[in-house]
Amino acid sequence: MVEVLRRIGVDLDFLGDQTCCGQPAFNSGYHSDAKILAKRFLSLFDRDDYIVCPSGSCTSMVKIFYKELFKNNPEMHEIIERVSLRTHEFSDFIVNVLKMKDVGAYYAGKVTYHDSCHLLRELKIKDEPRKLINSVKGIDFIEMNNSDSCCGFGGTFSIKFPDVSVSILDEKLENIINTGAEAVVSADMGCLMQIGGALKRRKIPIETMHLAELLASDRG
Amino acid sequence: MGLYRHDFNKESDKALKDENLQKALRFTTDRFRERRKTAIAEVDNWEDLRSIAREIKKETISRLDTYLELLEENIVKNGGIVHWAKDADEATKIILEIALNGKVKSVVKSKSMATEEIELNHALNNAGIEAIETDLGEYIIQLAGETPSHIIAPAIHKTKEDISKLFSEKLKIPYYTEPEDLTRIARDKLRQKFLMADMGVSGANFAVAETGTIVIVENEGNARLTTTLPRIHVALMGLEKVIPRFEDLALFLSILARSATGQKMSSYVSLISGPKRKSEKDGPEEFHLVLLDNGRSNILASDETRESLYCIRCGACLNICPVYRKVGGHSYGWVYSGPIGAIISPQLLGFDKAPDLPFASSLCGACKDVCPLKIDIPKVLLELRNRVIEENRKMNRVGVRTFESLGIKLWRLSMQSPRVYMALITLAYYVQKLWNRGNGHNITLLPPPFSQWAKNRDLPVFAKKPFRKRWDEIKDEQVWE
Amino acid sequence: MGISSRDKILNTIKRGIYRPGDEKTDAPESIFHKEADLHNYRRETRTAQNLVQESENLIENFMNELTKVNGIAKVINNEDQIKEYLSNLTAESNSKSFLVWETALIKKLKVIEYLESNGLRLIKSHDKEQLAKADIGITEADYAIADSGTLVLFSNPKKPRLVSLIAPVHIAILESKKIVHNIFQLFQIVKHEYHQEMRGKNPMRCLTFITGPSRTADIELNLTLGVHGPKEVHILIYNK
């Protein structure tokens, strides 16, 4: 992501003290633990710059769920509002803030794209990644069937209900393989771990790439 | 209450291994999804309809006492009788009493999830009263001694062959395979029951407070027969189903059929306002509405989960859910399955009976998208998860959650310190070298509970140089161009 | 004796929704006048007075929708055409007995006389077993909805419920002027009648919407017609 953003002229900083937005705790029902980490995140990131994040789930935690987490703490509402407004998911940032589509990427190959659930349904980001993918030089982009169906990750769901998770994953893999693509692109690490984890285990020669990796590519 | 402590993994395991079920689930949910999509595309203000429906439901639930009192007043004006049942036991007692007073020997039933919730058939049978399900899907599962696997199509888990075998065995008839023949057999058998029955028990999709009218939506005609032929009609209905005005039905009927089966309108909608008039030639002489609480008023009391009561039981959430699609209705352990089941079963039964359900979701949010009442099911699931954790904390229960709780606490503490974080990921790199039997790029073995991941999936290795270290090296590089 | 369940339930509800400081709940009438919220979906509705209009379009729409739900519709302009239709139908289906609503229009069209002269028996008994033997049930629709192919039937002592339900064939006569566009319009019209009936001495106890024949898809999602209700629905649209 750093490579891509720098290539298009963005001046970046990375806060070395950052750890986690707290979503895993929130999703597992440990709301008080989540609040502690959320407060830490908010105070760390309460500054004037844009905040760009290569993950739909983390971004939606900040922009959507922090409000819910702190609904009974009105004293937090102002800082949440401030930080949320400046936080953007990676593709959203490039397309909607920088108003760019072509970031100088080159990948001569067939790829397909998986819509991550939080990115799609909470942040309503559907076209932006597609615009970016389509602008990659040499790309052959093919949509899979049911690209918007869940991959089965769901955070701790994947280890609490592993068989169900993999069963859902099986269908997603079927859809990916049917496109004939050599790589599947997504904008969320959770999805990529889930999909990539099975592809590797089953020795299926399809690569998994984060959208940023694709956009950083300069290979033919 | 008919549900021992539910274990989702155990129940769903059977379903995942059942090839026929997997085929049926995929086929059925695909079909319903398609139909729903087409039906909604025909309506150019679908989003408006959803919003207004939600507003009306919100308004009704926020003054439920007023509307229920009004409903009761009008039903009584129409010559009907209203009963209030605090719980399942009371509801069955009330219905049994009506049957005993009416010297009822046989009952015909039309489809009602509420009657399954209270296990009415069981109670009637114990009292020596025959209770026959007349909805074809329900009739099939009654013969098979099973519970419904889908809110709208209770027998979708059964193949044609299953049903042929079932009919031939239980009804002692030849083996027919075509749905047309099987349906005709059911029609003939059940026609006899309809004509003989003393009492008809139905559910109700809605009840209009303004006019004292209950509304039954169906396709087969069995509900019409159930509520017309026998001399006593009892309708059992969850008390959250009331709607304010007669004209609100236009909206609710439009959204129900389209969301459920993709039909513009189901074959029959009956608007029943009391028993027959003395001069009418057909219709029941007695009409009873039994209002069922059974935990609904508790859900009402919670601001965060109150919208669980907006549900009109269309089943759209089941059809879109990636989890339901794989595990089917029986895995949810009770009459209500799918996303809506995951939020109301724990609330009606208690967390000790259904502790897994709030967690058995990947939180993908597809259900929220399709719900005609815009119920934010993921939000309610998250709230319920929090409650389970808080309840465990307070009760100091020792069990699996204790480890999880400890794990989360340790994790959280580490996340509060960037130095601990760095130390941990550095440690992870070295530990994985010992543990890793993989090829150097992937981890194939993990300690529990993460072993559940490694059963079927690899994991990328922890990098030797974490991003933070790399950043220190590259942060002063020039921005290109 | 203790508090009744009714009171227990209502108390739980009240405690659950009202918070200290909430205004006392006011009478329901005030809710019924919240017109503003419903403006959006009412935009297509018309008043009860404007029933006779754009009949041709409505008839065509109704017939298209009815066909989609496996119903059969025919436009009829006079008594002879009805007789012809009935004659063909009864011959094909080998019908022997029938049930009928005695409405003004059905009397005017002399349906009963015609069928009886053709050898069919009108079942006069009220006994369920006898009624169940009927081959055809003939009613008149009070209204119909074009965009879904739906019939609207009011019941009353002269219009029993079973006539449209118990026989395998249901024939409904529908005056073309009774067809309205959509369900929202229908409810605007019907609510006035319904409220009048409810206030009167003889409230209407059963109102039925019928959209095509009885159906199920409970067996492997295979569509089968004529489960418990009629297998055939014929709608004769009387367009004078």
Side-chain angles (χ1 to χ4, degrees):
Chain A
M1 180 170 90
V2 172
E3 252 186 79
V4 176
L5 290 175
R6 279 181 166 172
R7 192 201 290 152
I8 57 181
V10 177
D11 185 15
L12 301 177
D13 192 11
F14 176 83
L15 300 176
D17 281 353
Q18 66 182 268
T19 54
C20 180
C21 64
Q23 183 168 64
F26 178 64
N27 280 356
S28 302
Y30 294 87
H31 291 192
S32 44
D33 293 284
K35 276 185 178 174
I36 294 172
L37 293 179
K39 282 190 178 147
R40 186 174 184 278
F41 176 93
L42 287 166
S43 59
L44 193 64
F45 280 89
D46 187 13
R47 9 184 307 170
D48 269 333
D49 317 280
Y50 285 111
I51 304 161
V52 188
C53 174
S55 158
S57 30
C58 307
T59 310
S60 58
M61 184 68 196
V62 175
K63 290 180 86 90
I64 316 269
F65 296 114
Y66 272 3
K67 276 193 282 279
E68 257 177 61
L69 182 60
F70 288 102
K71 62 178 178 284
N72 295 325
N73 303 86
E75 73 280 8
M76 295 295 300
H77 293 177
E78 220 193 293
I79 187 175
I80 291 174
E81 185 66 22
R82 250 195 335 265
V83 177
S84 299
L85 277 174
R86 281 194 224 103
T87 308
H88 291 271
E89 182 272 337
F90 175 64
S91 65
D92 171 42
F93 183 69
I94 299 179
V95 175
N96 296 324
V97 178
L98 300 179
K99 308 258 190 271
M100 291 181 72
K101 282 192 287 189
D102 186 343
V103 298
Y106 178 45
Y107 184 94
K110 200 171 188 193
V111 308
T112 185
Y113 174 74
H114 162 73
D115 288 286
S116 318
C117 295
H118 278 139
L119 186 67
L120 179 69
R121 298 198 179 85
E122 295 294 339
L123 300 172
K124 316 265 188 269
I125 292 171
K126 185 183 167 117
D127 296 328
E128 291 82 339
R130 289 172 165 84
K131 286 191 177 129
L132 291 168
I133 296 173
N134 275 319
S135 304
V136 174
K137 194 159 128 204
I139 200 86
D140 177 11
F141 176 39
I142 175 164
E143 290 274 8
M144 69 173 95
N145 253 351
N146 296 333
S147 63
D148 60 356
S149 280
C150 185
C151 66
F153 178 63
T156 49
F157 174 79
S158 59
I159 49 176
K160 287 189 177 166
F161 302 97
D163 296 326
V164 184
S165 174
V166 171
S167 178
I168 297 173
L169 177 60
D170 283 336
E171 197 174 334
K172 174 60 59 172
L173 291 176
E174 199 185 302
N175 290 330
I176 292 171
I177 293 169
N178 285 342
T179 61
E182 49 189 83
V184 52
V185 179
S186 189
D188 212 293
M189 274 320 293
C191 303
L192 290 166
M193 279 194 332
Q194 168 87 339
I195 294 171
L199 287 172
K200 293 273 181 323
R201 177 63 61 95
R202 299 178 199 187
K203 309 224 190 308
I204 297 172
I206 298 178
E207 251 191 273
T208 46
M209 291 177 96
H210 188 281
L211 179 62
E213 286 181 84
L214 175 68
L215 297 181
S217 168
D218 54 6
R219 67 150 249 228
Chain B
M1 213 199 222
L3 184 71
Y4 45 86
R5 193 175 191 284
H6 174 246
D7 181 336
F8 193 85
N9 273 322
K10 203 164 128 214
E11 300 301 320
S12 58
D13 198 48
K14 293 182 231 159
L16 292 173
K17 297 198 167 98
D18 184 342
E19 262 184 58
N20 280 331
L21 178 65
Q22 291 299 310
K23 266 197 238 141
L25 284 170
R26 204 190 258 218
F27 174 65
T28 304
T29 53
D30 274 344
R31 187 74 93 71
F32 278 136
R33 285 183 196 188
E34 265 318 300
R35 295 234 167 111
R36 175 192 164 272
K37 237 174 159 173
T38 310
I40 283 165
E42 288 169 353
V43 180
D44 54 3
N45 60 343
W46 178 250
E47 288 304 314
D48 287 339
L49 295 186
R50 285 176 87 200
S51 301
I52 298 170
R54 189 183 165 90
E55 278 312 299
I56 295 176
K57 256 300 163 177
K58 191 164 163 215
E59 147 74 21
T60 314
I61 299 286
S62 72
R63 294 197 215 214
L64 193 59
D65 54 328
T66 309
Y67 287 109
L68 286 175
E69 285 168 332
L70 188 63
L71 173 67
E72 180 186 48
E73 190 186 311
N74 284 314
I75 289 190
V76 169
K77 254 195 217 145
N78 294 341
I81 302 169
V82 178
H83 311 260
W84 301 66
K86 187 89 185 105
D87 53 34
D89 281 339
E90 194 174 353
T92 47
K93 255 212 322 253
I94 289 168
I95 297 176
L96 276 175
E97 210 179 302
I98 297 171
L100 292 172
N101 287 341
K103 300 200 184 359
V104 168
K105 295 201 200 59
S106 77
V107 169
V108 282
K109 291 186 64 231
S110 63
K111 189 152 151 48
S112 159
M113 309 236 52
T115 61
E116 316 220 26
E117 188 184 323
I118 68 171
E119 297 182 32
L120 179 65
N121 290 0
H122 189 65
L124 288 169
N125 289 334
N126 281 348
I129 299 172
E130 190 193 37
I132 309 282
E133 293 290 344
T134 61
D135 172 278
L136 181 61
E138 297 283 344
Y139 179 60
I140 290 168
I141 62 176
Q142 183 177 47
L143 284 178
E146 294 176 22
T147 53
S149 65
H150 188 287
I151 284 176
I152 300 297
I156 49 151
H157 59 289
K158 291 206 151 333
T159 61
K160 235 172 22 185
E161 289 73 32
D162 289 336
I163 299 167
S164 307
K165 212 166 133 231
L166 181 69
F167 274 25
S168 121
E169 274 171 29
K170 298 279 176 167
L171 303 175
K172 315 267 191 277
I173 55 173
Y175 187 81
Y176 291 98
T177 52
E178 290 316 303
E180 271 229 20
D181 294 318
L182 296 168
T183 306
R184 185 180 35 87
I185 289 164
R187 178 194 169 99
D188 292 337
K189 288 271 170 199
L190 292 170
R191 203 35 96 87
Q192 287 315 305
K193 302 288 181 188
F194 279 122
L195 292 170
M196 266 178 26
D198 307 299
M199 180 161 111
V201 175
S202 75
N205 296 86
F206 308 102
V208 180
E210 191 187 23
T211 55
T213 305
I214 65 154
V215 181
I216 303 177
V217 174
E218 57 156 339
N219 281 305
E220 296 181 15
N222 62 310
R224 286 181 69 196
L225 287 171
T226 300
T227 57
T228 305
L229 280 171
R231 63 192 150 79
I232 302 174
H233 171 204
V234 177
L236 177 69
M237 184 186 86
L239 47 69
E240 82 281 19
K241 298 284 201 65
V242 64
I243 62 176
R245 291 160 301 207
F246 189 65
E247 64 191 90
D248 292 330
L249 283 175
L251 174 61
F252 284 96
L253 291 173
S254 302
I255 64 178
L256 178 57
R258 284 179 204 268
S259 301
T261 52
Q263 292 173 286
K264 287 201 175 90
M265 187 73 122
S266 54
S267 301
Y268 304 115
V269 183
S270 304
L271 280 64
I272 295 169
S273 309
K276 74 180 185 74
R277 287 187 257 163
K278 283 206 182 57
S279 46
E280 275 187 87
K281 298 193 184 74
D282 52 26
E285 288 159 18
E286 272 177 57
F287 170 72
H288 301 258
L289 174 65
V290 183
L291 291 170
L292 180 66
D293 182 353
N294 208 23
R296 288 156 172 76
S297 51
N298 288 332
I299 299 181
L300 190 69
S302 155
D303 286 333
E304 295 87 358
T305 62
R306 182 174 304 147
E307 58 181 315
S308 316
L309 297 178
Y310 297 176
C311 177
I312 59 175
R313 308 283 191 261
C314 72
C317 57
L318 273 70
N319 296 328
I320 203 78
C321 177
V323 175
Y324 178 87
R325 188 179 166 89
K326 298 297 168 200
V327 307
H330 291 153
S331 304
Y332 290 80
W334 203 38
V335 295
Y336 302 110
S337 55
I340 189 66
I343 62 174
I344 62 177
S345 302
Q347 293 187 80
L348 294 179
L349 295 171
F351 289 133
D352 50 339
K353 283 260 174 71
D356 288 343
L357 289 179
F359 295 90
S361 160
S362 65
L363 296 177
C364 80
C367 50
K368 179 167 83 156
D369 277 354
V370 300
C371 177
L373 278 290
K374 300 212 261 196
I375 301 174
D376 193 340
I377 296 177
K379 180 161 166 229
V380 178
L381 285 168
L382 286 168
E383 171 64 27
L384 293 177
R385 290 180 187 191
N386 186 219
R387 284 192 199 166
V388 170
I389 301 305
E390 288 304 315
E391 203 178 275
N392 273 346
R393 205 168 267 183
K394 282 193 198 111
M395 321 253 325
N396 284 322
R397 280 203 197 109
V398 182
V400 168
R401 291 238 186 268
T402 318
F403 286 106
E404 183 187 81
S405 184
L406 199 62
I408 295 270
K409 192 148 246 121
L410 287 172
W411 170 80
R412 190 257 296 163
L413 283 166
S414 337
M415 293 296 128
Q416 285 180 271
S417 158
R419 265 184 285 170
V420 175
Y421 178 88
M422 267 305 278
L424 282 178
I425 58 180
T426 313
L427 187 64
Y429 173 73
Y430 288 105
V431 169
Q432 91 194 339
K433 283 187 141 205
L434 297 169
W435 200 273
N436 191 13
R437 314 276 162 84
N439 59 7
H441 296 297
N442 295 296
I443 302 172
T444 53
L445 213 62
L446 289 165
F450 305 102
S451 47
Q452 294 298 340
W453 177 276
K455 245 174 33 183
N456 286 299
R457 294 158 282 200
D458 285 354
L459 195 69
V461 293
F462 282 88
K464 181 164 188 172
K465 196 183 277 184
F467 178 75
R468 302 169 187 235
K469 286 242 169 77
R470 288 176 50 209
W471 175 255
D472 286 333
E473 294 164 15
I474 64 177
K475 72 179 171 197
D476 292 320
E477 276 172 14
Q478 286 302 327
V479 167
W480 291 30
E481 162 232 66
Chain C
M1 234 227 95
I3 318 177
S4 69
S5 282
R6 177 187 186 278
D7 289 333
K8 273 195 211 141
I9 293 172
L10 285 171
N11 285 340
T12 312
I13 291 174
K14 285 181 182 145
R15 270 199 314 267
I17 49 190
Y18 303 117
R19 305 277 180 263
D22 273 356
E23 281 164 33
K24 187 75 190 79
T25 165
D26 38 355
E29 280 78 73
S30 62
I31 302 141
F32 296 155
H33 295 307
K34 252 197 211 162
E35 297 288 305
D37 288 342
L38 305 177
H39 174 69
N40 277 343
Y41 79 73
R42 287 248 197 101
R43 58 188 165 199
E44 296 215 327
T45 60
R46 289 160 213 191
T47 61
Q49 281 70 49
N50 302 339
L51 276 177
V52 185
Q53 59 205 314
E54 297 170 6
S55 302
E56 268 82 68
N57 212 9
L58 283 172
I59 296 177
E60 205 186 299
N61 285 348
F62 180 80
M63 290 177 74
N64 285 339
E65 290 303 322
L66 185 70
T67 310
K68 285 187 202 164
V69 295
N70 313 92
I72 302 162
K74 184 140 174 91
V75 178
I76 299 269
N77 298 315
N78 58 45
E79 209 180 294
D80 286 330
Q81 289 182 345
I82 291 197
K83 289 188 174 139
E84 197 189 318
Y85 195 91
L86 290 175
S87 167
N88 291 338
L89 180 61
T90 52
E92 270 169 30
S93 58
N94 201 18
S95 308
K96 299 196 176 57
S97 58
F98 66 104
L99 297 166
V100 71
W101 278 6
E102 299 191 45
T103 65
L105 179 60
I106 286 181
K107 282 203 189 120
K108 177 165 149 224
L109 294 169
K110 301 204 176 56
V111 170
I112 299 177
E113 292 88 331
Y114 183 70
L115 287 174
E116 282 185 320
S117 71
N118 266 28
L120 274 83
R121 179 177 62 95
L122 169 62
I123 299 178
K124 296 209 176 80
S125 159
H126 298 327
D127 173 54
K128 295 182 212 176
E129 303 272 351
Q130 292 302 313
L131 294 171
K133 296 202 172 111
D135 298 306
I136 300 180
I138 305 168
T139 66
E140 183 186 341
D142 290 279
Y143 290 99
I145 304 175
D147 85 353
S148 53
T150 302
L151 294 175
V152 181
L153 270 55
F154 297 178
S155 70
N156 69 32
K158 290 214 167 65
K159 306 202 284 186
R161 309 161 197 210
L162 289 171
V163 178
S164 62
L165 176 61
I166 204 157
V169 176
H170 172 209
I171 302 174
I173 312 216
L174 165 65
E175 277 192 275
S176 58
K177 69 178 186 195
K178 297 294 189 74
I179 306 176
V180 304
H181 280 281
N182 59 42
I183 194 171
F184 296 104
Q185 188 181 12
L186 188 275
F187 268 88
Q188 289 306 305
I189 294 166
V190 170
K191 79 172 180 181
H192 293 298
E193 283 190 53
Y194 203 79
H195 287 318
Q196 273 175 332
E197 293 248 8
M198 301 309 270
R199 275 193 286 270
K201 277 202 300 177
N202 293 309
M204 169 174 35
R205 292 296 169 78
C206 183
L207 173 60
T208 314
F209 288 59
I210 297 176
T211 306
S214 139
R215 69 190 58 232
T216 183
D218 275 337
I219 300 177
E220 285 189 358
L221 287 195
N222 250 297
L223 178 66
T224 312
L225 300 177
V227 196
H228 297 288
K231 191 168 181 162
E232 286 175 41
V233 175
H234 301 257
I235 300 180
L236 305 180
I237 304 173
Y238 187 60
N239 190 26
K240 233 179 65 170

